[in-house]
Amino acid sequence: MTSRSVRPQHAELDHRLRRRGFLGVAAGATAASLLGAAPASAATDRQPATDRHGCRPIVPRGKLGIQLYTVRDQVQKLGFATVFKELERYGYDSVEFAGYTQGTGDLTLRQLKRLLREHGLRGIGSHVGYYSDNPDAYTFATQLEKVCDDAAALGLPHVGTAASPDRYGRTVDAWKRAAEDFNTYGAAARARGLKFYQHNHQMEFGFAEDKPHVRLYDVLLAETDPELVYLEMDIYWAFAGKHRFSVRPDGTPAPFDPIDYVLAAPHRYPLFHVKDGEHDEASPDGYHMVDVGDGDIDYEHFIGTALRRHRGRRADHHWLMERDDAVDPAANPAGSLTSARRSAAYLRGRRR
């Protein structure tokens, strides 16, 4: 698929997008006039085998995880060991950390690693802060070596941040500067056998303040080294971004589909957050959160599409259930562990 001619003032960004492999990702999107979806004509579905119940799971065996932020109230109340036992029972394969103690008191990384092993779980990644004004804070900017050393000691293959690249503002140059930070963190992570990643929310898909035709997520992709900086797509927030930012500030259309980013460069997306939402016109994001399988995001289509072969290579994707408001009794009276159980059952093919 060919793209429209690029405006001369955007030639540098266009060059970087081409080099990163992201042209053709988002119809009408930003600086490089990104158009259409990545071709998938050569792809064939990788269908997971049916389980003992005769159901076909949505997520392949060994690839279902959970972001522990979902059950943070139960970790604090019951401890990691009890929560890990429940997650093992629900059929989870891996966990992503949002802090290595979560209010449980003193716990060494060695103890935490042993608990994972005892319950058949793998630590797949960890969310760490991007930066802080406090030089003693545990962030990539303030304690890069320790952050990477701790992740390596725990045996994590990935370590990243859920913070926006807004540290220096929401201009193109500000995000280029943040991309330089991320390249630095990615190099430090790779030196320890890790992959550094950034997790999106909805605002990454917004437009630059100085160049409102430029989608900031495309700047991040173009300016980061694909061998050093990876992405964890939060699918719910990506669809919220689609709801909010499919029209530029001047009113011109700028549609995009989150799956097209994945198809354009599947190797850059080792991790995904799988959270669901029901359409909600009262919400600025267009959705409110529910358990996975209860909402309007078509995960059978999204995950099935992402699992296709891409140019003869299979990307190693991990699908991590999350529900941000699972601990809120008003939003989720059934409780966070129930959300974890029901979502796992759906993704395992045991609840339709």
Side-chain angles (χ1 to χ4, degrees):
M1 180 178 294
T2 60
S3 63
R4 297 174 184 172
S5 60
V6 180
R7 299 173 185 175
Q9 62 265 38
H10 309 315
E12 178 187 357
L13 181 57
D14 174 56
H15 171 71
R16 291 181 181 273
L17 285 165
R18 290 182 185 277
R19 179 161 55 88
R20 300 294 191 234
F22 280 93
L23 278 182
V25 171
T30 76
S33 297
L34 305 180
L35 296 171
S41 59
T44 57
D45 288 337
R46 180 178 68 176
Q47 297 290 352
T50 57
D51 68 5
R52 62 186 178 89
H53 300 277
C55 300
R56 187 179 296 280
I58 297 172
V59 172
R61 181 176 302 174
K63 303 297 185 181
L64 179 61
I66 184 171
Q67 164 54 252
L68 291 174
Y69 184 75
T70 303
V71 292
R72 58 195 180 278
D73 61 330
Q74 298 303 309
V75 171
Q76 186 169 6
K77 178 181 177 181
L78 305 173
F80 280 109
T82 300
V83 171
F84 284 174
K85 182 178 180 180
E86 288 300 296
L87 298 179
E88 178 186 20
R89 188 165 69 87
Y90 301 160
Y92 285 102
D93 306 300
S94 59
V95 300
E96 181 183 37
F97 289 95
Y100 299 132
T101 59
Q102 291 193 235
T104 60
D106 293 334
L107 186 69
T108 67
L109 294 176
R110 179 175 294 182
Q111 290 171 324
L112 193 53
K113 188 175 183 180
R114 183 175 69 248
L115 287 174
L116 287 169
R117 184 171 59 250
E118 289 174 354
H119 293 286
L121 296 170
R122 180 188 183 193
I124 199 69
S126 178
H127 283 186
V128 178
Y130 171 12
Y131 65 94
S132 173
D133 293 333
N134 178 2
D136 297 323
Y138 189 76
T139 72
F140 281 96
T142 53
Q143 296 193 34
L144 177 59
E145 300 301 316
K146 180 170 175 52
V147 167
C148 293
D149 288 344
D150 287 350
L154 194 51
L156 305 180
H158 312 91
V159 63
T161 185
S164 168
D166 282 352
R167 178 181 184 181
Y168 308 108
R170 290 182 62 81
T171 66
V172 170
D173 285 342
W175 274 52
K176 287 182 177 181
R177 188 176 173 189
E180 291 178 3
D181 288 346
F182 288 0
N183 285 332
T184 298
Y185 307 155
R190 186 171 70 171
R192 292 160 178 79
L194 306 166
K195 290 181 178 180
F196 169 81
Y197 63 95
Q198 193 268 345
H199 163 285
N200 66 273
H201 291 86
Q202 76 280 51
M203 296 305 293
E204 281 87 337
F205 297 95
F207 299 97
E209 292 177 351
D210 60 333
K211 297 180 180 180
H213 50 278
V214 175
R215 195 182 303 280
L216 286 169
Y217 194 65
D218 296 325
V219 177
L220 176 67
L221 295 172
E223 296 295 328
T224 50
D225 187 330
E227 301 304 319
L228 298 177
V229 178
Y230 296 84
L231 294 311
E232 176 178 63
M233 179 174 282
D234 187 302
I235 301 167
Y236 172 95
W237 287 122
F239 275 91
K242 177 181 178 181
H243 174 83
R244 294 184 65 163
F245 302 113
S246 286
V247 177
R248 298 186 183 90
D250 65 2
T252 59
F256 73 96
D257 192 328
I259 190 62
D260 291 339
Y261 282 104
V262 180
L263 296 179
H267 66 285
R268 292 201 74 176
Y269 291 90
L271 306 176
F272 294 84
H273 274 192
V274 180
K275 64 169 66 107
D276 212 343
E278 288 183 330
H279 286 294
D280 184 353
E281 292 302 321
S283 169
D285 294 321
Y287 297 90
H288 67 263
M289 293 181 191
V290 295
D291 292 345
V292 181
D294 290 346
D296 295 315
I297 298 176
D298 188 347
Y299 274 110
E300 292 192 49
H301 170 74
F302 188 100
I303 295 177
T305 301
L307 288 175
R308 293 173 179 171
R309 293 180 185 270
H310 184 79
R311 296 180 181 176
R313 299 176 59 187
R314 295 175 188 261
D316 185 20
H317 299 312
H318 296 266
W319 308 91
L320 310 176
M321 176 269 167
E322 187 184 37
R323 181 171 174 177
D324 299 3
D325 64 358
V327 304
D328 180 358
N332 185 35
S336 60
L337 282 175
T338 297
S339 286
R341 176 181 57 78
R342 295 186 74 251
S343 297
Y346 175 77
L347 294 168
R348 289 294 190 193
R350 299 174 187 174
R351 179 175 69 87
R352 288 290 189 271

